[in-house]
Amino acid sequence: MWATTLGSAASGLVAALVLHFIYRLIQSNWPTSYYALSDYWSYVKALLPSRYLLFRFGPVVLISLFGVHQMRTAGWPVWPFVATTAAIHAGTTSLQGAWRVVRYRQDGDRDAPLVMLHLVSAAAIAVTCIAAALLTATDLAALVPDYDSIKNELWAAALASVLTFAFFRAIQAPQRTLAELIKSQRQRISPQLFEYARAMADHWGLDYHAIETVILTESIQRPKWYRLGERIKGLVFRKGTYGIMQVQSPRPLNDRQSIDLALREHRDAFMYPEAYAAKVGQPESWARERLSNFNSSPQFLDLATDIYYEIG
């Protein structure tokens, strides 16, 4: 009894190591850090919720189903495998991510959704592993091959495809130019929202390119589906960052409201270069210096500055 229990737990450790290997190869900095052109996977993963789910849980589903079925075939207890796999994988990824956000917190209002996303992901990992144990106890077990026949089954091809895909993408991940990134992002934002931002820039006498820069930078980091999650979170924990400009607010905001508040609260960030230089008493005004009045994060400023000079 103890031997099979330990064997099942050891198999869970191996499964967790395999998952660690896969996610190390396709790792990205999103959602913790701002997107960089060298970090292609961050953009791919964040773009759509379906892609995030596929990247985050696809390998977990495959490994869990396969591992649980092998435990049943071998006559070993399933739950030590499930508990070990879920605990190690969730602990070294999502729970560790949540702990890092809390420990190195810089902006509590902005970090709260990150912590929630990590915690929900950790819970989803546990649910995925438990579901694998339950599903393989039914007729669905026929979909998962025995170890002896794995080389001749499509399941082996699926596992090999995941590993091969991760390996080659890690060696030479495709990259996008900044111009391609900006063009793609503009297509995902309502033209009416850009028109509204331009109208507000004209109304307040501000630099529209700086406003558009923040819209593009923040919407890359916080796509529409993520902003929707922030507004849902705001029904309970109202204070946070909201809208396409990710501005801090004591209550949830829509995209237009976030533009209005950003222009009121961070006017210096969107002043014309000449006006800002005159205000601070300097002969010149650089985009990075002005944009730092909106967000001082080095990662934000790196991307935002590049975007500003690309569209300006």
Side-chain angles (χ1 to χ4, degrees):
M1 178 64 180
W2 283 107
T4 56
T5 299
L6 290 175
S8 178
S11 298
L13 174 61
V14 172
L17 291 175
V18 171
L19 287 171
H20 177 75
F21 171 72
I22 294 173
Y23 283 106
R24 286 285 295 176
L25 292 177
I26 59 175
Q27 66 180 338
S28 70
N29 294 324
W30 189 89
T32 304
S33 181
Y34 280 86
Y35 172 78
L37 287 176
S38 59
D39 186 12
Y40 175 81
W41 291 122
S42 285
Y43 185 77
V44 171
K45 185 172 72 173
L47 194 59
L48 296 171
S50 58
R51 292 186 183 180
Y52 174 77
L53 293 174
L54 178 63
F55 270 76
R56 188 64 191 89
F57 300 109
V60 178
V61 171
L62 290 176
I63 296 298
S64 297
L65 284 173
F66 177 73
V68 168
H69 186 63
Q70 302 316 313
M71 295 304 101
R72 294 190 186 281
T73 301
W76 289 4
V78 167
W79 297 110
F81 172 86
V82 170
T84 304
T85 303
I88 295 178
H89 181 58
T92 57
T93 56
S94 296
L95 292 179
Q96 186 180 65
W99 178 79
R100 286 178 176 174
V101 172
V102 172
R103 181 179 180 183
Y104 302 107
R105 175 173 295 189
Q106 297 179 352
D107 184 347
D109 294 339
R110 187 182 181 89
D111 293 341
L114 288 178
V115 174
M116 293 184 64
L117 181 62
H118 284 309
L119 294 179
V120 170
S121 294
I125 290 170
V127 170
T128 298
C129 294
I130 293 172
L134 297 176
L135 289 174
T136 54
T138 68
D139 292 339
L140 291 178
L143 298 177
V144 188
D146 294 327
Y147 179 78
D148 293 336
S149 61
I150 188 173
K151 293 183 180 181
N152 300 319
E153 298 287 346
L154 291 177
W155 191 267
L159 289 174
S161 297
V162 170
L163 294 174
T164 303
F165 175 81
F167 178 75
F168 284 104
R169 289 302 196 185
I171 293 177
Q172 188 175 8
Q175 296 183 7
R176 314 188 83 180
T177 66
L178 184 59
E180 291 172 338
L181 175 63
I182 292 172
K183 180 180 178 181
S184 174
Q185 197 61 24
R186 278 174 170 161
Q187 293 172 346
R188 290 178 169 82
I189 300 174
S190 168
Q192 288 75 24
L193 198 61
F194 284 122
E195 293 173 3
Y196 181 79
R198 185 179 292 277
M200 290 298 99
D202 294 339
H203 175 75
W204 294 104
L206 299 174
D207 182 3
Y208 170 71
H209 290 311
I211 299 172
E212 185 183 13
T213 291
V214 173
I215 289 176
L216 292 170
T217 305
E218 292 291 0
S219 64
I220 290 171
Q221 174 67 5
R222 296 290 185 262
K224 187 175 181 179
W225 68 269
Y226 191 98
R227 300 198 302 272
L228 176 61
E230 289 178 323
R231 294 187 67 185
I232 294 174
K233 182 273 304 179
L235 297 176
V236 180
F237 305 101
R238 295 182 64 78
K239 188 178 180 182
T241 55
Y242 297 103
I244 199 162
M245 295 192 78
Q246 285 293 287
V247 64
Q248 291 189 1
S249 169
R251 61 181 179 84
L253 303 173
N254 61 34
D255 288 339
R256 290 197 176 196
Q257 290 170 333
S258 76
I259 293 175
D260 293 338
L261 184 58
L263 299 191
R264 290 198 304 268
E265 298 290 334
H266 304 280
R267 185 181 180 86
D268 287 355
F270 307 112
M271 296 178 68
Y272 281 103
E274 300 81 4
Y276 185 81
K279 178 176 180 178
V280 299
Q282 295 179 354
E284 293 181 290
S285 169
W286 304 104
R288 189 182 185 93
E289 179 184 354
R290 284 183 287 137
L291 291 170
S292 66
N293 289 285
F294 180 84
N295 188 334
S296 60
S297 164
Q299 294 83 10
F300 166 84
L301 292 172
D302 287 343
L303 179 58
T305 302
D306 289 343
I307 290 177
Y308 180 83
Y309 287 118
E310 180 70 23
I311 68 176

